[in-house]
Amino acid sequence: MPYELYYWNGLQGRGEFVRLALEEAGAPYVDVVRGSEDEGLGDAAMMALLNSKTEPSIPFAPPFLKDGDLIVSHTANILLYLGPKIGLAPETDQRYVVHGLQLTIADMVTEVHDTHHPIASGQYYEDQKAPAKARATDFLAHRLPKFMHYFERVLAQNPHGAQHLVGERLTYVDLSMFQLIEGLHYAFPRATARFASHYPRLAALRKAVAARPNIAAYLASDRRLPFNETGIFRHYPELDSAGH
Amino acid sequence: MPYELYYWNGLQGRGEFVRLALEEAGAPYVDVVRGSEDEGLGDAAMMALLNSKTEPSIPFAPPFLKDGDLIVSHTANILLYLGPKIGLAPETDQRYVVHGLQLTIADMVTEVHDTHHPIASGQYYEDQKAPAKARATDFLAHRLPKFMHYFERVLAQNPHGAQHLVGERLTYVDLSMFQLIEGLHYAFPRATARFASHYPRLAALRKAVAARPNIAAYLASDRRLPFNETGIFRHYPELDSAGH
């Protein structure tokens, strides 16, 4: 039975981190909300689950994954669950190291979101532009370099070499790092103009992931939606500024 | 060998969620930063690890747990790791359900933090008071009820009864829920004045956790620091407002 991934349609969003892992592994999955209502899929299927009055493990929000009766919610938790099953995580205690890095990525993703929504996630960006500019300025000056310097250190200190964040084989967190770097380049082209000279190992990881056959095929497919201004990574030129 | 917990001294912060689990279980642990420098503990021990140029699994930030050579970072990840070992999590796939709830708590904790630091985590609250008021207002009007209504539903829909968030036994997420509710009451006494009438199951869970012998003993000990204005949950009366 294929995995069922539930996530909002029309954007990459947090669901994309899960899609990249499923696509790299060639694992069978259904992107439920993008499916047809005639087949019991689509938006209504997701809302029915979120609003269920009987399901014991209701998620707070998408993305979530259904595998048989089990519902796993939160991007990082889904990857934790899938990782060993699809060959993208160690089965040793190193899986907690991989998961810790994924949670740091999740924290940074939240901070990226908050550059355009610093006051209220339920209100329009246009109604919080001034604080958004203040938060984005701080993010680009302090937070982005702090996170990226950290991730670059993790690659540099991997005793198996800087090709992967953990160990000597690809794990899902390498794929998520690719997505994070892609998103940052989309949202902040000016601030990331010198990314590769500041973070050479991360830039090399980004290239290596993009060149993997299954990832390249996915990125060229129509399953890969382009970045847009309804997702996490939004290109609002007024929030971007020249990098360090 | 006792678990080594690394977290900033002087506040409950995110470390407190881990402490509650260790204390409930009676598990041996060292609160490293609170220890004496003469014994190789204290702040310097944590900074040495965070700044290590050789350690492969460096954390981005506290809290982190050291168990032998393994370093596990992020509150929710530490609890995921410890849970089955200290008898506070199922060993079945239900552990992913518990972890998903813990990650939702983590998201809410971040939102609580951002009520007093909506623009820049590295700057003083006093320098971001106006956007803090805007964010706190939105948080109390929309986010707090959304999260708490969700957690109340989780209790209501537990087929084993509303005593626990998952299954029929105490898990670490019940303890974390207690801490979250305590913190919200400390930070926002006006907004939470009618908490128990809105969320009776959560209020009962809070009471039941506080009455557990090991938790009660811990709360009465000097290991339990009081809430204060350097932690996540801060009582700034100007950010509080009458609840719904």
Side-chain angles (χ1 to χ4, degrees):
Chain A
M1 207 162 69
Y3 296 112
E4 295 175 23
L5 172 64
Y6 291 77
Y7 192 67
W8 306 114
N9 199 359
L11 64 157
Q12 294 184 9
R14 290 183 166 86
E16 197 67 11
F17 296 93
V18 181
R19 287 189 196 100
L20 285 167
L22 292 165
E23 293 280 347
E24 166 63 26
Y29 75 102
V30 181
D31 210 325
V32 173
V33 177
R34 294 190 189 165
S36 143
E37 305 234 340
D38 298 343
E39 298 168 28
L41 306 174
D43 204 50
M46 183 165 83
M47 297 319 293
L49 236 160
L50 284 170
N51 296 327
S52 164
K53 299 228 183 296
T54 52
E55 168 60 45
S57 41
I58 36 168
F60 180 70
F64 55 93
L65 185 88
K66 205 161 175 293
D67 183 14
D69 285 339
L70 180 68
I71 296 176
V72 180
S73 64
H74 286 271
T75 309
N77 196 21
I78 296 168
L79 291 168
L80 175 78
Y81 173 75
L82 286 176
K85 294 184 199 292
I86 63 177
L88 286 174
E91 298 193 30
T92 66
D93 276 350
Q94 286 296 299
R95 71 185 185 278
Y96 296 101
V97 176
V98 176
H99 187 52
L101 288 165
Q102 189 70 39
L103 289 171
T104 303
I105 291 177
D107 283 349
M108 189 176 182
V109 164
T110 296
E111 294 196 23
V112 170
H113 170 271
D114 284 8
T115 61
H116 48 79
H117 278 78
I119 302 300
S121 56
Q123 286 176 20
Y124 292 111
Y125 162 62
E126 286 70 20
D127 296 330
Q128 45 195 313
K129 284 182 81 161
K133 178 63 184 170
R135 178 135 189 176
T137 300
D138 182 81
F139 175 79
L140 295 178
H142 301 294
R143 300 300 290 171
L144 185 146
K146 183 170 178 170
F147 277 108
M148 287 298 142
H149 177 69
Y150 165 74
F151 289 128
E152 181 79 6
R153 269 179 77 207
V154 172
L155 284 175
Q157 292 181 203
N158 183 347
H160 299 281
Q163 283 71 48
H164 303 296
L165 285 159
V166 181
E168 55 194 342
R169 289 180 49 225
L170 182 83
T171 68
Y172 61 75
V173 78
D174 294 320
L175 305 175
S176 290
M177 185 57 62
F178 158 82
Q179 175 67 7
L180 177 63
I181 298 171
E182 287 288 301
L184 292 170
H185 279 74
Y186 173 78
F188 306 109
R190 292 181 65 206
T192 54
R194 301 182 56 205
F195 187 90
S197 67
H198 287 299
Y199 314 109
R201 296 173 186 86
L202 287 169
L205 175 65
R206 178 195 183 194
K207 265 197 186 170
V209 168
R212 296 184 70 87
N214 286 3
I215 296 295
Y218 170 63
L219 296 178
S221 77
D222 58 7
R223 299 189 301 287
R224 171 76 167 188
L225 300 184
F227 286 106
N228 65 40
E229 281 56 59
T230 60
I232 303 283
F233 300 102
R234 303 188 184 187
H235 179 48
Y236 295 131
E238 64 275 20
L239 297 184
D240 194 10
S241 57
H244 51 299
Chain B
M1 205 163 68
Y3 296 111
E4 296 174 24
L5 173 64
Y6 291 77
Y7 192 67
W8 307 115
N9 199 359
L11 63 157
Q12 294 185 8
R14 290 181 166 87
E16 197 68 10
F17 297 93
V18 181
R19 286 189 196 100
L20 285 167
L22 292 165
E23 294 279 348
E24 166 63 27
Y29 74 102
V30 180
D31 210 325
V32 173
V33 178
R34 293 189 190 165
S36 142
E37 304 235 342
D38 298 343
E39 298 169 28
L41 305 174
D43 205 49
M46 183 165 82
M47 296 319 291
L49 236 162
L50 283 170
N51 295 327
S52 163
K53 299 226 182 301
T54 52
E55 168 60 46
S57 41
I58 36 169
F60 181 70
F64 56 93
L65 185 88
K66 205 160 175 296
D67 183 14
D69 285 338
L70 181 69
I71 297 176
V72 180
S73 62
H74 285 272
T75 309
N77 196 21
I78 296 169
L79 292 168
L80 174 79
Y81 173 76
L82 286 177
K85 293 183 199 294
I86 63 178
L88 287 174
E91 298 194 30
T92 66
D93 277 349
Q94 286 296 299
R95 72 185 185 277
Y96 297 101
V97 176
V98 176
H99 187 52
L101 288 165
Q102 189 69 40
L103 290 171
T104 303
I105 290 176
D107 283 350
M108 190 175 182
V109 165
T110 296
E111 294 195 23
V112 170
H113 170 271
D114 283 9
T115 60
H116 46 79
H117 278 78
I119 302 300
S121 55
Q123 286 175 21
Y124 291 112
Y125 162 62
E126 285 69 21
D127 295 330
Q128 46 196 311
K129 284 182 83 161
K133 179 62 184 171
R135 178 137 187 173
T137 300
D138 182 81
F139 175 79
L140 296 178
H142 301 294
R143 301 299 290 172
L144 185 147
K146 183 169 176 170
F147 277 107
M148 287 298 143
H149 177 69
Y150 165 73
F151 289 127
E152 181 81 6
R153 270 179 77 206
V154 172
L155 285 175
Q157 294 181 202
N158 183 348
H160 300 280
Q163 284 71 46
H164 302 296
L165 285 159
V166 181
E168 56 195 339
R169 289 180 47 224
L170 182 83
T171 67
Y172 63 75
V173 78
D174 294 321
L175 304 175
S176 290
M177 185 57 62
F178 158 81
Q179 175 67 7
L180 176 64
I181 298 170
E182 287 289 301
L184 291 169
H185 279 75
Y186 172 77
F188 306 110
R190 294 181 63 206
T192 54
R194 301 181 56 205
F195 187 90
S197 68
H198 287 299
Y199 314 109
R201 295 173 187 86
L202 287 169
L205 174 65
R206 177 194 183 194
K207 265 197 184 170
V209 168
R212 296 184 70 87
N214 286 3
I215 296 294
Y218 170 63
L219 297 178
S221 77
D222 57 8
R223 298 189 302 287
R224 171 76 167 187
L225 301 184
F227 285 106
N228 66 39
E229 280 56 57
T230 60
I232 303 283
F233 300 101
R234 302 188 185 187
H235 179 48
Y236 294 131
E238 64 274 21
L239 297 185
D240 194 10
S241 57
H244 51 298

